[in-house]
PDB file of all heavy atoms in Angstrom:
ATOM      1  N   MET J  53      14.788   7.041  29.264  1.00  0.00           N
ATOM      2  CA  MET J  53      13.458   7.384  29.780  1.00  0.00           C
ATOM      3  C   MET J  53      12.737   8.424  28.926  1.00  0.00           C
ATOM      4  O   MET J  53      11.765   9.029  29.366  1.00  0.00           O
ATOM      5  CB  MET J  53      13.517   7.839  31.237  1.00  0.00           C
ATOM      6  CG  MET J  53      14.038   6.777  32.184  1.00  0.00           C
ATOM      7  SD  MET J  53      13.169   5.178  32.027  1.00  0.00           S
ATOM      8  CE  MET J  53      11.520   5.606  32.582  1.00  0.00           C
ATOM      9  N   ASP J  81     -11.266   6.061   0.132  1.00  0.00           N
ATOM     10  CA  ASP J  81     -11.520   4.903   0.988  1.00  0.00           C
ATOM     11  C   ASP J  81     -10.252   4.525   1.749  1.00  0.00           C
ATOM     12  O   ASP J  81      -9.141   4.910   1.378  1.00  0.00           O
ATOM     13  CB  ASP J  81     -11.993   3.711   0.152  1.00  0.00           C
ATOM     14  CG  ASP J  81     -13.401   3.888  -0.382  1.00  0.00           C
ATOM     15  OD1 ASP J  81     -14.122   4.764   0.136  1.00  0.00           O
ATOM     16  OD2 ASP J  81     -13.779   3.169  -1.330  1.00  0.00           O
ATOM     17  N   GLU J  99     -11.738  -8.049  -9.153  1.00  0.00           N
ATOM     18  CA  GLU J  99     -13.028  -8.144  -9.834  1.00  0.00           C
ATOM     19  C   GLU J  99     -13.279  -6.927 -10.719  1.00  0.00           C
ATOM     20  O   GLU J  99     -13.820  -7.045 -11.816  1.00  0.00           O
ATOM     21  CB  GLU J  99     -14.147  -8.282  -8.800  1.00  0.00           C
ATOM     22  CG  GLU J  99     -14.150  -9.609  -8.065  1.00  0.00           C
ATOM     23  CD  GLU J  99     -15.215  -9.648  -6.976  1.00  0.00           C
ATOM     24  OE1 GLU J  99     -15.923  -8.627  -6.806  1.00  0.00           O
ATOM     25  OE2 GLU J  99     -15.325 -10.683  -6.288  1.00  0.00           O
ATOM     26  N   PRO J 149       4.702   7.094  -0.534  1.00  0.00           N
ATOM     27  CA  PRO J 149       5.554   8.284  -0.505  1.00  0.00           C
ATOM     28  C   PRO J 149       5.649   8.946   0.862  1.00  0.00           C
ATOM     29  O   PRO J 149       6.606   9.658   1.143  1.00  0.00           O
ATOM     30  CB  PRO J 149       4.882   9.220  -1.516  1.00  0.00           C
ATOM     31  CG  PRO J 149       3.452   8.775  -1.542  1.00  0.00           C
ATOM     32  CD  PRO J 149       3.468   7.301  -1.325  1.00  0.00           C
ATOM     33  N   LEU J 197     -18.642  -7.539  45.329  1.00  0.00           N
ATOM     34  CA  LEU J 197     -19.120  -7.015  44.051  1.00  0.00           C
ATOM     35  C   LEU J 197     -18.332  -5.783  43.621  1.00  0.00           C
ATOM     36  O   LEU J 197     -18.786  -4.980  42.811  1.00  0.00           O
ATOM     37  CB  LEU J 197     -20.617  -6.686  44.138  1.00  0.00           C
ATOM     38  CG  LEU J 197     -21.529  -7.905  44.379  1.00  0.00           C
ATOM     39  CD1 LEU J 197     -22.961  -7.457  44.603  1.00  0.00           C
ATOM     40  CD2 LEU J 197     -21.445  -8.881  43.209  1.00  0.00           C
ATOM     41  N   MET J 200     -10.560  -4.285  41.873  1.00  0.00           N
ATOM     42  CA  MET J 200      -9.546  -3.260  41.621  1.00  0.00           C
ATOM     43  C   MET J 200      -9.087  -3.335  40.168  1.00  0.00           C
ATOM     44  O   MET J 200      -9.123  -4.387  39.525  1.00  0.00           O
ATOM     45  CB  MET J 200      -8.334  -3.448  42.542  1.00  0.00           C
ATOM     46  CG  MET J 200      -8.675  -3.413  44.024  1.00  0.00           C
ATOM     47  SD  MET J 200      -9.337  -1.810  44.537  1.00  0.00           S
ATOM     48  CE  MET J 200      -7.884  -0.781  44.334  1.00  0.00           C
ATOM     49  N   PHE J 205      -0.204   5.811  32.779  1.00  0.00           N
ATOM     50  CA  PHE J 205      -0.244   7.112  32.114  1.00  0.00           C
ATOM     51  C   PHE J 205       1.047   7.866  32.405  1.00  0.00           C
ATOM     52  O   PHE J 205       1.896   7.415  33.190  1.00  0.00           O
ATOM     53  CB  PHE J 205      -1.457   7.925  32.577  1.00  0.00           C
ATOM     54  CG  PHE J 205      -1.350   8.410  34.006  1.00  0.00           C
ATOM     55  CD1 PHE J 205      -0.991   9.725  34.287  1.00  0.00           C
ATOM     56  CD2 PHE J 205      -1.585   7.557  35.080  1.00  0.00           C
ATOM     57  CE1 PHE J 205      -0.884  10.178  35.591  1.00  0.00           C
ATOM     58  CE2 PHE J 205      -1.486   7.993  36.390  1.00  0.00           C
ATOM     59  CZ  PHE J 205      -1.131   9.315  36.649  1.00  0.00           C
ATOM     60  N   PHE J 216       8.244  12.312   6.241  1.00  0.00           N
ATOM     61  CA  PHE J 216       8.950  12.453   4.973  1.00  0.00           C
ATOM     62  C   PHE J 216       7.998  12.157   3.823  1.00  0.00           C
ATOM     63  O   PHE J 216       7.183  11.239   3.907  1.00  0.00           O
ATOM     64  CB  PHE J 216      10.133  11.480   4.904  1.00  0.00           C
ATOM     65  CG  PHE J 216      10.983  11.472   6.145  1.00  0.00           C
ATOM     66  CD1 PHE J 216      10.637  10.683   7.230  1.00  0.00           C
ATOM     67  CD2 PHE J 216      12.117  12.267   6.234  1.00  0.00           C
ATOM     68  CE1 PHE J 216      11.409  10.671   8.384  1.00  0.00           C
ATOM     69  CE2 PHE J 216      12.894  12.262   7.384  1.00  0.00           C
ATOM     70  CZ  PHE J 216      12.540  11.458   8.460  1.00  0.00           C
ATOM     71  N   ASN J 230      -3.986  17.500  -3.514  1.00  0.00           N
ATOM     72  CA  ASN J 230      -5.173  17.333  -2.676  1.00  0.00           C
ATOM     73  C   ASN J 230      -4.937  16.297  -1.579  1.00  0.00           C
ATOM     74  O   ASN J 230      -5.457  16.423  -0.463  1.00  0.00           O
ATOM     75  CB  ASN J 230      -6.380  16.940  -3.537  1.00  0.00           C
ATOM     76  CG  ASN J 230      -6.865  18.080  -4.398  1.00  0.00           C
ATOM     77  OD1 ASN J 230      -6.658  19.253  -4.078  1.00  0.00           O
ATOM     78  ND2 ASN J 230      -7.519  17.762  -5.506  1.00  0.00           N
ATOM     79  N   TYR J 243      -6.403  14.183  16.709  1.00  0.00           N
ATOM     80  CA  TYR J 243      -6.652  13.896  18.122  1.00  0.00           C
ATOM     81  C   TYR J 243      -7.990  14.453  18.605  1.00  0.00           C
ATOM     82  O   TYR J 243      -8.489  14.033  19.646  1.00  0.00           O
ATOM     83  CB  TYR J 243      -5.517  14.442  18.984  1.00  0.00           C
ATOM     84  CG  TYR J 243      -4.264  13.596  18.908  1.00  0.00           C
ATOM     85  CD1 TYR J 243      -3.116  14.078  18.280  1.00  0.00           C
ATOM     86  CD2 TYR J 243      -4.229  12.314  19.445  1.00  0.00           C
ATOM     87  CE1 TYR J 243      -1.968  13.299  18.193  1.00  0.00           C
ATOM     88  CE2 TYR J 243      -3.092  11.527  19.365  1.00  0.00           C
ATOM     89  CZ  TYR J 243      -1.963  12.025  18.743  1.00  0.00           C
ATOM     90  OH  TYR J 243      -0.834  11.246  18.654  1.00  0.00           O
ATOM     91  N   LEU J 292      17.006  22.812  12.206  1.00  0.00           N
ATOM     92  CA  LEU J 292      16.688  24.242  12.232  1.00  0.00           C
ATOM     93  C   LEU J 292      15.652  24.578  13.292  1.00  0.00           C
ATOM     94  O   LEU J 292      15.545  25.729  13.719  1.00  0.00           O
ATOM     95  CB  LEU J 292      16.168  24.684  10.856  1.00  0.00           C
ATOM     96  CG  LEU J 292      17.118  24.534   9.659  1.00  0.00           C
ATOM     97  CD1 LEU J 292      16.410  24.974   8.381  1.00  0.00           C
ATOM     98  CD2 LEU J 292      18.398  25.335   9.872  1.00  0.00           C
ATOM     99  N   PRO J 304       8.305  20.360  33.574  1.00  0.00           N
ATOM    100  CA  PRO J 304       7.297  20.866  32.637  1.00  0.00           C
ATOM    101  C   PRO J 304       5.974  20.120  32.778  1.00  0.00           C
ATOM    102  O   PRO J 304       5.952  18.904  32.975  1.00  0.00           O
ATOM    103  CB  PRO J 304       7.922  20.606  31.267  1.00  0.00           C
ATOM    104  CG  PRO J 304       8.874  19.476  31.493  1.00  0.00           C
ATOM    105  CD  PRO J 304       9.386  19.627  32.883  1.00  0.00           C
ATOM    106  N   ARG J 305       4.885  20.879  32.685  1.00  0.00           N
ATOM    107  CA  ARG J 305       3.553  20.291  32.730  1.00  0.00           C
ATOM    108  C   ARG J 305       2.625  20.884  31.683  1.00  0.00           C
ATOM    109  O   ARG J 305       1.425  20.644  31.702  1.00  0.00           O
ATOM    110  CB  ARG J 305       2.931  20.477  34.132  1.00  0.00           C
ATOM    111  CG  ARG J 305       3.525  19.568  35.207  1.00  0.00           C
ATOM    112  CD  ARG J 305       3.203  18.111  34.895  1.00  0.00           C
ATOM    113  NE  ARG J 305       3.700  17.179  35.907  1.00  0.00           N
ATOM    114  CZ  ARG J 305       4.841  16.519  35.819  1.00  0.00           C
ATOM    115  NH1 ARG J 305       5.647  16.745  34.782  1.00  0.00           N
ATOM    116  NH2 ARG J 305       5.206  15.667  36.757  1.00  0.00           N
ATOM    117  N   ALA J 312      10.237  27.873  21.385  1.00  0.00           N
ATOM    118  CA  ALA J 312      10.558  27.240  20.100  1.00  0.00           C
ATOM    119  C   ALA J 312      10.935  28.308  19.094  1.00  0.00           C
ATOM    120  O   ALA J 312      10.261  29.330  18.967  1.00  0.00           O
ATOM    121  CB  ALA J 312       9.359  26.440  19.601  1.00  0.00           C
ATOM    122  N   GLU J 342       3.307  34.555  13.766  1.00  0.00           N
ATOM    123  CA  GLU J 342       3.330  35.941  14.226  1.00  0.00           C
ATOM    124  C   GLU J 342       4.560  36.301  15.063  1.00  0.00           C
ATOM    125  O   GLU J 342       5.038  37.416  15.030  1.00  0.00           O
ATOM    126  CB  GLU J 342       2.045  36.242  15.017  1.00  0.00           C
ATOM    127  CG  GLU J 342       0.808  36.204  14.117  1.00  0.00           C
ATOM    128  CD  GLU J 342      -0.454  36.556  14.872  1.00  0.00           C
ATOM    129  OE1 GLU J 342      -0.372  36.785  16.085  1.00  0.00           O
ATOM    130  OE2 GLU J 342      -1.511  36.589  14.226  1.00  0.00           O
ATOM    131  N   SER J 345       8.408  32.668  19.066  1.00  0.00           N
ATOM    132  CA  SER J 345       8.056  31.670  20.083  1.00  0.00           C
ATOM    133  C   SER J 345       6.663  31.124  19.815  1.00  0.00           C
ATOM    134  O   SER J 345       5.772  31.190  20.650  1.00  0.00           O
ATOM    135  CB  SER J 345       8.150  32.298  21.483  1.00  0.00           C
ATOM    136  OG  SER J 345       9.463  32.656  21.773  1.00  0.00           O
ATOM    137  N   LEU J 347       5.436  28.192  19.588  1.00  0.00           N
ATOM    138  CA  LEU J 347       4.936  27.074  20.364  1.00  0.00           C
ATOM    139  C   LEU J 347       4.259  27.551  21.656  1.00  0.00           C
ATOM    140  O   LEU J 347       3.280  26.984  22.109  1.00  0.00           O
ATOM    141  CB  LEU J 347       6.043  26.090  20.684  1.00  0.00           C
ATOM    142  CG  LEU J 347       5.619  24.789  21.387  1.00  0.00           C
ATOM    143  CD1 LEU J 347       4.728  23.955  20.481  1.00  0.00           C
ATOM    144  CD2 LEU J 347       6.835  23.993  21.817  1.00  0.00           C
TER     145      LEU J 347
END
Side-chain angles (χ1 to χ4, degrees):
M53 298 308 294
D81 288 344
E99 291 176 359
L197 296 174
M200 302 297 292
F205 70 101
F216 313 85
N230 289 335
Y243 284 111
L292 299 178
R305 286 295 182 264
E342 293 182 358
S345 295
L347 186 65

